[in-house]
Protein backbone atom coordinates (compact mmCIF):
# COMPACT_ATOMS: atom_id res chain seq x y z
CA UNK A 1 0.00 0.00 0.00
CA UNK A 2 1.39 3.39 -1.03
CA UNK A 3 1.95 5.78 1.83
CA UNK A 4 3.11 9.40 1.74
CA UNK A 5 3.96 11.19 4.98
CA UNK A 6 4.84 14.88 5.07
CA UNK A 7 6.87 16.63 7.74
CA UNK A 8 8.63 19.94 8.33
CA UNK A 9 5.78 22.42 8.37
CA UNK A 10 5.57 25.19 10.93
CA UNK A 11 5.41 28.92 11.50
CA UNK A 12 7.97 31.40 10.26
CA UNK A 13 8.26 35.13 9.66
CA UNK A 14 8.27 36.55 6.17
CA UNK A 15 11.67 36.17 4.56
CA UNK A 16 12.41 33.01 6.48
CA UNK A 17 12.85 29.42 5.31
CA UNK A 18 11.30 26.03 5.87
CA UNK A 19 12.09 22.60 4.51
CA UNK A 20 9.34 20.09 3.91
CA UNK A 21 9.96 16.39 3.47
CA UNK A 22 7.79 13.63 2.09
CA UNK A 23 8.58 10.01 2.91
CA UNK A 24 7.13 7.62 0.35
CA UNK A 25 6.73 3.90 0.82
CA UNK A 26 4.89 0.95 -0.64
CA UNK A 27 5.92 1.32 -4.27
CA UNK A 28 8.51 -0.32 -6.55
CA UNK A 29 8.69 1.86 -9.67
CA UNK A 30 11.76 4.07 -10.12
CA UNK A 31 10.47 6.33 -12.92
CA UNK A 32 8.01 8.40 -10.94
CA UNK A 33 6.66 11.89 -10.56
CA UNK A 34 6.57 13.39 -7.09
CA UNK A 35 4.93 16.72 -6.47
CA UNK A 36 3.96 19.29 -3.91
CA UNK A 37 0.65 21.10 -3.83
CA UNK A 38 -0.80 23.64 -1.43
CA UNK A 39 -4.32 24.43 -0.40
CA UNK A 40 -5.83 27.60 0.95
CA UNK A 41 -9.50 28.30 1.67
CA UNK A 42 -9.53 30.82 -1.18
CA UNK A 43 -7.64 28.97 -3.91
CA UNK A 44 -8.21 25.26 -3.52
CA UNK A 45 -5.34 22.85 -4.15
CA UNK A 46 -2.70 24.46 -6.36
CA UNK A 47 0.37 22.83 -7.85
CA UNK A 48 3.67 24.11 -6.40
CA UNK A 49 6.47 21.96 -7.80
CA UNK A 50 7.21 18.50 -9.09
CA UNK A 51 10.21 16.32 -9.90
CA UNK A 52 10.74 13.30 -12.09
CA UNK A 53 12.66 10.88 -9.92
CA UNK A 54 14.55 9.16 -12.77
CA UNK A 55 15.78 12.27 -14.60
CA UNK A 56 15.70 14.73 -11.68
CA UNK A 57 13.98 17.23 -13.96
CA UNK A 58 12.12 19.70 -11.75
CA UNK A 59 9.24 22.02 -12.54
CA UNK A 60 7.83 24.95 -10.62
CA UNK A 61 4.72 27.08 -10.55
CA UNK A 62 5.38 30.75 -11.29
CA UNK A 63 4.67 32.06 -7.77
CA UNK A 64 7.49 29.97 -6.27
CA UNK A 65 10.14 30.03 -9.01
CA UNK A 66 13.48 31.17 -7.68
CA UNK A 67 12.40 30.71 -4.05
CA UNK A 68 11.51 27.02 -3.73
CA UNK A 69 13.64 24.02 -4.65
CA UNK A 70 12.35 20.47 -4.96
CA UNK A 71 14.76 17.57 -4.64
CA UNK A 72 14.62 13.84 -4.13
CA UNK A 73 16.62 11.12 -2.46
CA UNK A 74 15.76 7.88 -4.22
CA UNK A 75 17.69 5.74 -1.75
CA UNK A 76 15.73 7.16 1.17
CA UNK A 77 12.49 7.41 -0.75
CA UNK A 78 12.04 11.06 0.18
CA UNK A 79 11.18 14.22 -1.70
CA UNK A 80 12.03 17.57 -0.17
CA UNK A 81 10.82 21.10 -0.73
CA UNK A 82 13.20 23.82 0.38
CA UNK A 83 11.25 27.05 0.74
CA UNK A 84 13.21 30.29 1.01
CA UNK A 85 12.18 33.94 1.08
CA UNK A 86 8.78 32.91 2.34
CA UNK A 87 5.88 35.31 1.98
CA UNK A 88 2.59 35.52 3.85
CA UNK A 89 0.83 34.35 0.68
CA UNK A 90 2.75 31.07 0.95
CA UNK A 91 0.66 30.24 4.02
CA UNK A 92 -1.21 27.04 3.22
CA UNK A 93 -1.55 23.36 3.90
CA UNK A 94 1.12 21.63 1.83
CA UNK A 95 0.54 18.18 0.36
CA UNK A 96 2.90 15.64 -1.13
CA UNK A 97 1.60 13.76 -4.17
CA UNK A 98 2.87 10.86 -6.25
CA UNK A 99 2.36 9.19 -9.57
CA UNK A 100 4.31 6.02 -10.21
CA UNK A 101 5.63 4.65 -13.49
CA UNK A 102 5.74 7.90 -15.47
CA UNK A 103 7.73 11.16 -15.39
CA UNK A 104 6.25 14.57 -14.62
CA UNK A 105 4.60 16.87 -17.11
CA UNK A 106 6.01 20.38 -17.41
CA UNK A 107 2.91 21.60 -15.59
CA UNK A 108 0.96 19.43 -13.21
CA UNK A 109 -2.54 19.41 -11.89
CA UNK A 110 -4.01 17.52 -8.98
CA UNK A 111 -5.73 15.09 -11.32
CA UNK A 112 -2.27 13.85 -12.43
CA UNK A 113 -1.65 12.30 -9.01
CA UNK A 114 -3.52 9.33 -7.54
CA UNK A 115 -1.60 9.24 -4.27
CA UNK A 116 -1.60 11.93 -1.58
CA UNK A 117 -0.27 12.58 1.88
CA UNK A 118 -2.22 14.06 4.76
CA UNK A 119 -0.58 17.48 4.53
CA UNK A 120 1.57 19.71 6.71
CA UNK A 121 0.70 23.28 7.65
CA UNK A 122 2.92 26.23 6.78
CA UNK A 123 2.18 29.65 8.28
CA UNK A 124 4.13 32.75 7.28
CA UNK A 125 3.58 35.91 9.27
CA UNK A 126 4.35 39.42 8.08
Amino acid sequence: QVRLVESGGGSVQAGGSLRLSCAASGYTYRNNCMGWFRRTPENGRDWVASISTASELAYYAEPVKGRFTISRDNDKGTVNLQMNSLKPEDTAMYYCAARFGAPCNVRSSRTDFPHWGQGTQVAVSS
Side-chain angles (χ1 to χ4, degrees), residues 39-107:
R39 179 175 58 85
T40 65
E42 299 81 16
N43 296 328
R45 195 170 297 196
D46 293 331
W47 170 63
V48 174
S50 54
I51 186 168
S52 295
T53 58
S55 65
E56 295 190 60
L57 287 173
Y59 307 96
Y60 300 91
E62 284 296 329
V64 307
K65 278 184 179 178
R67 300 188 298 122
F68 291 12
T69 302
I70 189 171
S71 62
R72 96 291 180 266
D73 185 328
N74 283 344
D75 292 337
K76 294 182 179 179
T78 59
V79 175
N80 304 306
L81 186 68
Q82 178 67 40
M83 306 186 295
N84 298 329
S85 302
L86 282 161
K87 304 175 181 179
E89 50 263 44
D90 294 317
T91 295
M93 182 72 79
Y94 283 72
Y95 296 89
C96 177
R99 179 180 72 206
F100 300 116
C104 297
N105 300 321
V106 173
R107 289 185 56 84

